[in-house]
Amino acid sequence: MKTEFTADQLDQPPIAEANEILRACVHCGFCLSSCPTYALTGDELDSPRGRIYLIKNMLEGGGPPDADTVHHIDRCLSCMSCLTACPSGVDYMHLVDTARGHIQTHHRRSIVDRLMRWLMATILPRPGVFRAALIMAKPAQMFRGILPNTVGRLTEFAPNKIPPSGSLVGIHRPDGPPVKRIAMLAGCVQSVLGGGINEATIRLLTRHGCEVIVAPDAGCCGALVQHMGHENSARSQARANIQAWSSIDGGVDAVVVTASGCGTTVKDYGHMFADDPDMAQAAASIAAIAKDVTEIMAELGLGVAVPLPDVSVAYHDACSLQHGQGIRAEPRALLEQAGFEVSDIAEGQFCCGSAGTYNLLQPEMADALGARKVGHVDATGAHVVASGNLGCMIQMARFTERPMVHTVELLDWATGGPKPTALEIPRAGVS
Ligand code: SF4
Ligand code: SF4
């Protein structure tokens, strides 16, 4: 694609990078059929190629983008399905991040939109504040009718029962001498709503000989705010993690992440700090050892599986795991080794509509994708759905009674851990 940036614009590293990315696009359109928003609307401007044109025009023009451009870029899920599909290697992930940063700086959103985004950027990355907000959200549902639609939707995501709080900070040791030392990202939203996933990860890894360290100063990976265009906040949260993990006494062999949206971001820390001489090396070192839990388990080898009732599993590929990290085979192989019958879900390349804060900010598109995904899930007839990302589990659970579990919870159960909580509720075929 031909671009027309000025020399001054090209002196800015994000624009110089965007220029290279844009030039790699040859307009072939192979990405169109991979894009869930294009599948829903059929509008070229809701496709990767259409958005690439919009981003090019917006960045070349500089200054405030028009409302149509913002509308179509906001509707992008950042699911990276187009990244997988593109034969020319167009780095759409970093291009759309630059576009979101430009919109955040140059576009004034409506007051409700700004309030919604401020609430999410303030509440979600802070586990204590998030927990308090969830407790207040239940009674607030009574006022759903008078709350702005977008703010009211926030209250819908509060679960009926909020899991008990409990810190996992510290060192979790295996029975014998450790075969690996691993720092675990407990996360922000996951540490509140998916504490059981973190506990299952610690049990699974220590059972397989690893020492697991949860550093006290590590927190949100930065992805939530980055996808809203808040680049400085994202870097500040990432910096805290890098410093927390780099200063662990004796070092670690890996940083394990069990929320794949976060894993994609941690693996990109090197890129995030490439222009920062104080942080570049440490960021690149952390990014190089960041691993999804299934990558680590594939390296370690799954221990002997204990006998389980017949449980069939529909495996949902989270976009951030399959497109963002290129991981598809490991979770399936591990689940099968553990003794589960695993089935694929049709249109597996498509997002379920979760996409970080997308299901809060783009309710219509998110709900359409969620219902479409769950229709395919139900067609498998599997007892449970497994995924490597809590956000997908929460999103899909809104459309089906079928239990949602994290892959690691099944692996933990199959190697001697407790039955996943979601399976404690009696369901047909799972005893
Ligand atoms: S597939 Fe790649 S090169 Fe082709 S239009 Fe899409 S982004 Fe551009
Ligand atoms: S990231 Fe996903 S939603 Fe956005 S353009 Fe690419 S395929 Fe479409």
Side-chain angles (χ1 to χ4, degrees):
M1 176 179 288
K2 190 167 172 291
T3 55
E4 292 173 347
F5 290 104
T6 64
D8 280 352
Q9 286 178 312
L10 291 172
D11 273 347
Q12 303 164 42
I15 298 294
E17 182 189 54
N19 181 50
E20 291 303 315
I21 298 170
L22 289 165
R23 282 173 170 261
C25 176
V26 296
H27 329 272
C28 64
F30 284 173
C31 52
L32 267 63
S33 61
S34 72
C35 176
T37 56
Y38 181 66
L40 286 184
T41 70
D43 182 345
E44 169 91 18
L45 294 180
D46 284 322
S47 80
R49 186 172 62 184
R51 291 189 176 109
I52 286 170
Y53 275 110
L54 291 174
I55 294 170
K56 170 186 132 54
N57 291 339
M58 176 179 75
L59 296 180
E60 281 179 348
D66 60 65
D68 223 28
T69 298
V70 175
H71 172 71
H72 291 290
I73 294 174
D74 279 355
R75 279 167 34 141
C76 171
L77 295 138
S78 285
C79 70
M80 304 308 136
S81 183
C82 50
L83 202 71
T84 301
C86 176
S88 302
V90 172
D91 181 0
Y92 183 84
M93 180 169 103
H94 291 119
L95 185 66
V96 80
D97 281 347
T98 300
R100 293 192 202 284
H102 183 94
I103 290 170
Q104 174 64 16
T105 310
H106 294 91
H107 175 68
R108 190 157 176 82
R109 295 183 181 276
S110 72
I111 186 151
V112 172
D113 200 4
R114 274 183 281 144
L115 172 65
M116 183 77 173
R117 287 165 182 266
W118 179 83
L119 282 173
M120 287 189 296
T122 305
I123 294 173
L124 297 179
R126 297 175 175 83
V129 179
F130 181 46
R131 175 176 292 279
L134 285 175
I135 292 166
M136 289 189 292
K138 271 286 150 197
Q141 281 175 353
M142 286 190 296
F143 305 101
R144 178 74 175 83
I146 56 168
L147 290 170
N149 205 21
T150 42
V151 178
R153 185 169 167 92
L154 267 177
T155 65
E156 289 174 13
F157 281 78
N160 290 329
K161 187 164 176 268
I162 300 164
S165 63
S167 172
L168 297 171
V169 166
I171 301 178
H172 305 267
R173 295 191 167 84
D175 282 343
V179 294
K180 277 184 193 290
R181 298 191 82 221
I182 295 179
M184 185 186 85
L185 174 68
C188 50
V189 171
Q190 180 158 308
S191 67
V192 177
L193 289 180
I197 299 169
N198 289 339
E199 288 165 12
T201 304
I202 291 171
R203 283 192 301 268
L204 182 68
L205 290 174
T206 51
R207 190 178 301 126
H208 287 78
C210 299
E211 185 170 283
V212 181
I213 299 144
V214 182
D217 297 326
C220 178
C221 66
L224 285 171
V225 285
Q226 186 182 32
H227 291 158
M228 287 190 273
H230 300 201
E231 290 166 337
N232 288 340
S233 302
R235 284 165 73 95
S236 146
Q237 290 168 2
R239 187 178 294 109
N241 286 343
I242 293 164
Q243 287 167 345
W245 293 324
S246 302
S247 58
I248 291 173
D249 258 356
V252 289
D253 301 304
V255 173
V256 69
V257 188
T258 52
S260 59
C262 311
T264 306
T265 299
V266 175
K267 287 182 176 184
D268 201 43
Y269 278 176
H271 178 272
M272 195 187 275
F273 289 97
D275 297 323
D276 181 338
D278 295 332
M279 288 295 298
Q281 193 174 351
S285 301
I286 291 297
I289 58 169
K291 301 233 189 273
D292 183 72
V293 64
T294 56
E295 288 179 283
I296 291 184
M297 287 311 302
E299 275 174 33
L300 292 169
L302 197 66
V304 179
V306 300
L308 295 172
D310 276 348
V311 176
S312 56
V313 178
Y315 179 74
H316 164 71
D317 287 289
C319 297
S320 42
L321 200 57
Q322 63 169 333
H323 303 306
Q325 301 180 47
I327 296 173
R328 294 189 83 251
E330 291 88 338
R332 287 176 172 78
L334 288 163
L335 288 169
E336 278 167 3
Q337 283 165 32
F340 298 105
E341 180 194 325
V342 182
S343 51
D344 285 334
I345 299 168
E347 288 191 337
Q349 81 280 16
F350 278 176
C351 181
C352 62
S354 167
T357 54
Y358 189 92
N359 53 3
L360 296 168
L361 292 168
Q362 298 288 332
E364 290 84 14
M365 299 284 270
D367 287 358
L369 288 169
R372 182 170 174 146
K373 177 66 70 180
V374 166
H376 293 314
V377 165
D378 288 342
T380 65
H383 297 123
V384 299
V385 186
S387 173
N389 195 45
L390 176 66
C392 307
M393 293 160 58
I394 293 172
Q395 165 75 350
M396 289 187 287
R398 295 175 54 235
F399 300 92
T400 180
E401 287 294 303
R402 210 171 287 274
M404 300 285 156
V405 292
H406 193 287
T407 309
V408 85
E409 293 179 284
L410 290 179
L411 298 180
D412 175 44
W413 182 30
T415 55
K419 184 192 270 193
T421 317
L423 303 184
E424 292 294 354
I425 304 160
R427 314 266 177 172
V430 184
S431 53

